[in-house]
Amino acid sequence: MLNILVLGLGQCGNRILDAMNREAFGRGGAFAKYYTRQKFPASVKTIAINTAINDLKGLVDTRAKDRLHVPHLHGVGANRTLGKRVFEDNKEIIMSEIDKRGAFDLIFIITSAAGGSGSSFAPLLVRELKETYTNAPVICITVLPFREEGSIFLQNAAFCLKDIIDEKPTGVLLVDNQYLKKYAGDIKSAYDKINNTTARRLLFLIEALNSEMLMVTDLGDLKTVMNGGIGIGTMGFYEASKDSTIKSAILGSFKPSGLLFPTNVYKEGARAMLIIKGDKKYLNLDLITKTIEELSVEVGQVFKGVLVQRGRPRVLSLFTLNSVPELEKLYAAAAEAIRFERDRQDQSKSQLDSAFSHIEDLEPIY
Amino acid sequence: MNGCRVLMVVVAAALLMLLFPMTAAGVETTNVTIGANGYIVLNNDIYIELLDVGSDMGWSAQVHFYSYQDSVGTKKTLYIGDISTSYTSGSGMTIDVTLDSAFSNGAAFVIESSKKLYVTERHAGKVETEAVTVPKLTITRTIDPNSAEIGQTVKVTLTIKNTGNGTATDIMLDEGTIAKTYKDGCPSEIDDIAAGATERIEYDLKIGDEVQPGMREMPASVLNYESESGVSDSTQSQSNILEIILETVLLPELTISIDPINYVVTCGDDVPMVITITNVGNATSEKVYVKGDLHPGVRLKGGELEPVYESIKPDKSEEYEVTLVADEEGEHVVEMKVMWADEEETAVFEFRAEKSGLEKYYVYIIAAIPILLILLWLIKRRREYSY
């Protein structure tokens, strides 16, 4: 059984982690935690880490002992520089808390790239984890912000993602709030849906990696996939309808509507992993193999895993990309925002200096 | 010369005193004896004539009193022992006459008067002074004991005493009796009893089975007898009361009692009780068996419930203690039976067993335990997920 560590950093990472914990209770609803235990598909240890205690208190399905408050007032206020310092100051505590969970075969770090604690902690944590758990792949699930959330978030997202890539994790799976927002109504519903979707796909992946399959794919395949391209990827998902064929289900998981980050996998894909679950009657292995062979021509090496499970076919696709045009747009927007922000700061400072100049040669008369 | 005169007067006076006996001041008394059909004259006034002497109903004397101015006078019959008979002459002199003794042909009288008495004339006839012997019997009767059971025999004692001066002869005893009682050794004739002698007669009186118990009066004993002169007389004793009670049967009789400590106990707690067997009969009871009947829901915890006693003497008790336990709630009955000979006696002890204070709430506690566990579980889980 795989020992998997899932770390949720910052508010966003905490909530996705909480959604994973909730999913692990099954279909019991909000009260499931009172009468049943979490049933993870593998030996999964979760820790929600945050400097904002209120964010930790807001979690519902994560055990208290799995919530680690890194003491710094109530968060770092989206200040990554401050966040990095807080991490360094509390690194021993954080690593000690992780160390208590034992050894791991796979580590997921879930974080928003835009926030304070998560975005500042994630790169540093990748570094520490790689040093501590040398054999465990470290995969970052990085959530990109709404573009209109503000210049600070864009700036943080740009620098965070860069910092993460610089630390060379096994891979980075992107989740784009901006892209997924369209599938929900209001902001809260959008966040909940994104969190739940991300959580389910991660659990889907973990279950597949830890199960005996009809056609096998494993952690080694995952590492190979994540090493493909520029090490950045995303996940797609598709649940077949009653009359769908397994082929249409596989191809459905490549559709943009099922991806967590907007990309054209046929064009940008480097490597891929397909995990197919469903009733055996739906699992035509010849058709699956043939379909994947066809896909391999377009998206590079495709690893496949087939897991017999009740229900209609569900397909999780995981890609790494050779290029990420959407990131170009994000970084361009971020740079624009930074420049705009700097100009405004300069302008404000000039206005303030001008205002102060009026009393430069004066003394108070009282 | 003068001395001689004085001496003559004194002598004369002494002679007069001898001739006319004097009595104490105020009352003059004289004794006279008169023969049958004889008479005397007192103070030249009163005649006392003895007409006859009789012995029909005791000795008596028929006397005719008359005087010069009362020639008719009065005739009286005087009895020995009676009060005096008065007679007042025509001149107003009064005498009181009592018959002192009687003879076959005369009688002796005691005469009293306020005047000095002297016999002025005597025509007393011939009196034979030989005394008449008269027996006088008294009889007393005792019954010992005076309380007896049916079937018992009591002793009756007759004590006959002759207080007269003559021997009582032909003594016939007519002994009173109580119905359904039987005399054993009671004589109907008794030997002569000399004057001053006492005769003691004892006999057994058996109380028959058919006698009604209660206070029974035994009629007086009657003695009929005669004097040696053939004068008949009789006397009788007092009647006696004899209490007749039912025959006492010697039988043992046992009672059994249960002395509980509590009448309301708690289920599962000890119920001590003391059982006492007492012989209230008048005979020793041999081989006494005790049997106990414990109803369902009650069990013996300590002590011997059914002991056996070799004997229990009258007015003696045997006491032992047992401890019971009631396992079930409700009214319980313990029945103890003592058996001896062909008899038996039963004592019943009823008590109520209640559930303990905690036991009353067992249902609720049992129901509450899972709820509490669930609650504790929920709290635990809530705390586990609260931060």
Side-chain angles (χ1 to χ4, degrees), chain A residues 25 33-34 36-37 57 61-64 67 69, chain B residues 374 377-387:
Chain A
F25 280 117
K33 64 184 176 186
Y34 292 113
T36 186
R37 293 273 178 191
K57 285 180 178 177
D61 296 298
T62 302
R63 291 186 301 178
R67 305 180 201 182
H69 177 229
Chain B
I374 291 170
W377 172 259
L378 291 176
I379 291 170
K380 177 178 176 292
R381 294 306 293 262
R382 178 170 172 74
R383 292 186 66 177
E384 201 171 337
Y385 285 88
S386 294
Y387 188 80

Side-chain angles (χ1 to χ4, degrees), chain A residues 348-366:
Chain A
S348 297
K349 188 171 184 307
S350 299
Q351 285 179 343
L352 191 62
D353 290 342
S354 174
F356 289 160
S357 67
H358 288 290
I359 59 170
E360 201 170 38
D361 53 350
L362 296 175
E363 292 292 330
I365 60 174
Y366 293 107

Side-chain angles (χ1 to χ4, degrees), chain A residues 247 285-295:
Chain A
K247 182 176 181 178
L285 295 182
D286 290 341
L287 185 55
I288 292 171
T289 305
K290 188 177 177 184
T291 304
I292 290 174
E293 284 175 356
E294 290 172 4
L295 283 172

Side-chain angles (χ1 to χ4, degrees), chain B residues 137-142 156-162 193 197-202 221 223 235 237-238:
Chain B
L137 299 182
T138 60
I139 180 170
T140 56
R141 183 176 63 193
T142 60
V156 180
T157 303
L158 300 172
T159 304
I160 304 167
K161 188 173 183 181
N162 187 351
I193 301 173
T198 299
E199 182 72 18
R200 191 180 192 86
I201 299 168
E202 290 182 355
S221 301
L223 280 178
T235 186
S237 69
Q238 80 288 358

Side-chain angles (χ1 to χ4, degrees), chain B residues 75-207:
Chain B
K75 293 179 180 176
K76 300 277 187 175
T77 300
L78 280 63
Y79 292 90
I80 294 173
D82 270 1
I83 58 172
S84 61
T85 301
S86 291
Y87 172 73
T88 302
S89 68
S91 62
M93 179 181 174
T94 301
I95 59 173
D96 295 312
V97 181
T98 304
L99 177 60
D100 184 39
S101 59
F103 315 106
S104 59
N105 59 349
F109 301 93
V110 175
I111 304 168
E112 294 177 338
S113 176
S114 58
K115 291 183 178 179
K116 181 181 288 184
L117 295 172
Y118 50 91
V119 179
T120 54
E121 188 179 346
R122 174 181 294 269
H123 185 75
K126 187 181 178 181
V127 177
E128 294 178 1
T129 57
E130 183 182 0
V132 175
T133 58
V134 179
K136 186 169 182 64
L137 299 182
T138 60
I139 180 170
T140 56
R141 183 176 63 193
T142 60
I143 302 174
D144 184 31
N146 56 11
S147 175
E149 297 171 359
I150 292 172
Q152 269 191 334
T153 298
V154 298
K155 189 173 286 298
V156 180
T157 303
L158 300 172
T159 304
I160 304 167
K161 188 173 183 181
N162 187 351
T163 59
N165 56 3
T167 300
T169 62
D170 297 327
I171 304 170
M172 303 297 291
L173 174 62
D174 183 8
E175 177 68 328
T177 188
I178 299 171
K180 306 296 184 185
T181 62
Y182 307 101
K183 294 190 283 283
D184 182 12
C186 179
S188 58
E189 294 180 8
I190 299 171
D191 293 341
D192 295 351
I193 301 173
T198 299
E199 182 72 18
R200 191 180 192 86
I201 299 168
E202 290 182 355
Y203 69 90
D204 292 335
L205 180 67
K206 181 175 175 58
I207 301 166

